Amino acid sequence: MKSKRVVSLKLALLFAVLFTAAYWGAAMAQEGKVTGTLERVTRKFKTFCLMTKEGPEILKYGDDTVIKNSKAASVAKLPSNVHLVVDYAQKDGEKYAKVVTLKVAKVAPEDLITTEEVAALVEKGPEKGNYLIIDARPKPRYFEGYIPGAVSLPFHQWDELKDKVLPAKKDTKLIFYCGGLTCPLSPKSADKAKKLGYTDVKVYHDGMPAWKKTGHPAMASVESLKKLIAEASKMPDKAPFFVVVDLRSKEEMEQGFIPFATKMTGEEVVQRVEEFPKFKNARIVLYTQHKMTPAALEAWKQLAAWKYKSAAILEGGFKAWRDQGCRVAKGEPANKIKFVKKVAKDEIPVAEFKELIKTQPGGTWVIDVRSAEEFNVGSIPGTKSLPLEKLQKDVSDIPKDKKLVLICNTGAISSIANKLLEKKGFDTRYLNATIKYDDGKFEILE
């Protein structure tokens, strides 16, 4: 009997050890780390979307989430497109961010150059200053706006383009910049330049975000504007998906103007704010006759204050446009801005969405991803309420054979839901527009 009791006790102890190990193993499995680029933050749900190599990752944050390597008080205050490392705890199928660390690219202190120093060199000019400013970001980012005089040498095209871009003189001061402190492209480019024998290599670590934040203008190249106009010219009956503003005098406009331009003085840019697109990512290009004028700079600053992310001044102005053999329009520029938003492949155009909610085809579900409370206050007839928080946990209510169109108030939450459901294998698009609800009625604004 005693022997049986000993065996039973040993078995009980073994099960206890196994249970404890399993328990702590499960507990440890609830902790994790994920790295990616910050794409969207929704303050209402206190969630943020991190774009990782495996796809979008949605996490929750709170007042107790710790932010490291940044002065930001919360995740909501972080700028978009920064690289983050997130330590999280998982509970009830949701990931809660405990610590969010900006992944700051390392640069030796002696290699750094400040905004003030870069601005002083730009004021002096490349010939007198014996320097070359190099934008290491992908070409589309460069086209959206760059530091005056900067040339494009995307890091991922280094081997292909370096001999065409870099100067022959090895003692030329090279200044590399990219998307800010968390972007590794400029430090990596600087290292490559040093290995090629360049003796004076600097990294403007604060990059394009700090340049614009301190009131220095972003420039647009003739090449980038030429591409926009060529694309818009293929659809002459439609409004362009960008804005070009001619800030010159009436006499200068008589020489001709850039196609699709709207005439406007620097002062009118402020006065006619309602004409500009509501879409803050719209490409806006201001141009003068040749040199940058105080009026052009003030107009650009006003657009930046209005949160336009891709406003820029055409480098070299109309003279550079004409001298490079680009098409010049005659007559008079337009008196009023015309604009239509260019729709991304995973967005649904507003016109198509309006037709969809009229016809309500059976093969498509329109899903409102706002909270249930918001949905109950105002909604579009025929839409289904599935809040983002519910979609993160459970998508079993959604049939795989349906096409999905996701909506919210502004497109911010629906874009996150779109990435989430796309990752799970659904056929999705989302509406990137503002919807206003009032007394049972709704209005859709681009």
Side-chain angles (χ1 to χ4, degrees), residues 120-139:
L121 285 170
V122 169
E123 184 69 25
K124 189 180 289 187
E127 289 187 14
K128 289 183 180 179
N130 187 36
Y131 71 86
L132 180 66
I133 301 177
I134 302 167
D135 191 321
R137 299 173 301 165
K139 197 80 169 183

Side-chain angles (χ1 to χ4, degrees), residues 3-4 7-8 38 44 86 92 109 111 121 132 172 184 209 216 232 244 294 307 328 344 361 373 383 392 401:
S3 152
K4 288 183 179 180
V7 171
S8 299
L38 180 63
K44 187 180 293 294
V86 180
D92 299 328
D111 290 343
L121 285 170
L132 180 66
T172 304
H216 298 292
V244 181
K307 307 298 184 185
V328 173
E373 293 77 15
T383 59
Q392 288 179 261
D401 63 341

Side-chain angles (χ1 to χ4, degrees), residues 4 47 143 171 192 239 251 266 274 296 341 435 443:
K4 288 183 179 180
T47 62
F143 278 163
D171 63 344
K192 282 181 173 285
E251 292 72 28
E274 292 300 324
K341 195 183 83 172
I435 307 177
E443 183 182 10

Side-chain angles (χ1 to χ4, degrees), residues 181-245:
L181 296 175
T182 68
C183 179
L185 302 181
S186 53
K188 287 182 177 180
S189 296
D191 288 342
K192 282 181 173 285
K194 288 178 183 178
K195 289 175 182 176
L196 290 175
Y198 288 93
T199 57
D200 190 1
V201 180
K202 296 293 180 183
V203 175
Y204 177 36
H205 204 196
D206 292 332
M208 202 65 202
W211 180 259
K212 294 196 292 185
K213 190 175 181 179
T214 49
H216 298 292
M219 308 304 291
S221 67
V222 168
E223 178 190 2
S224 65
L225 183 56
K226 185 178 178 181
K227 286 186 176 183
L228 292 176
I229 287 174
E231 188 175 347
S233 297
K234 296 174 184 176
M235 301 171 285
D237 298 332
K238 289 186 68 176
F241 52 90
F242 53 86
V243 175
V244 181
V245 178

Side-chain angles (χ1 to χ4, degrees), residues 348-359 431 442-445:
I348 182 170
V350 169
E352 184 182 339
F353 179 75
K354 288 180 177 178
E355 186 62 28
L356 177 71
I357 57 178
K358 279 182 187 176
T359 57
L431 182 69
F442 64 89
E443 183 182 10
I444 303 170
L445 305 170

Side-chain angles (χ1 to χ4, degrees), residues 59-74:
L59 302 102
K60 294 187 75 75
Y61 69 93
D63 296 335
D64 58 342
T65 300
V66 177
I67 311 293
K68 290 187 176 180
N69 290 345
S70 172
K71 295 179 181 178
S74 84

Side-chain angles (χ1 to χ4, degrees), residues 275-295:
E275 281 186 42
F276 284 87
K278 301 295 183 286
F279 180 54
K280 296 300 182 179
N281 284 327
R283 290 286 303 275
I284 301 176
V285 180
L286 310 170
Y287 73 92
T288 59
Q289 181 65 14
H290 174 39
K291 295 182 179 180
M292 188 190 306
T293 63

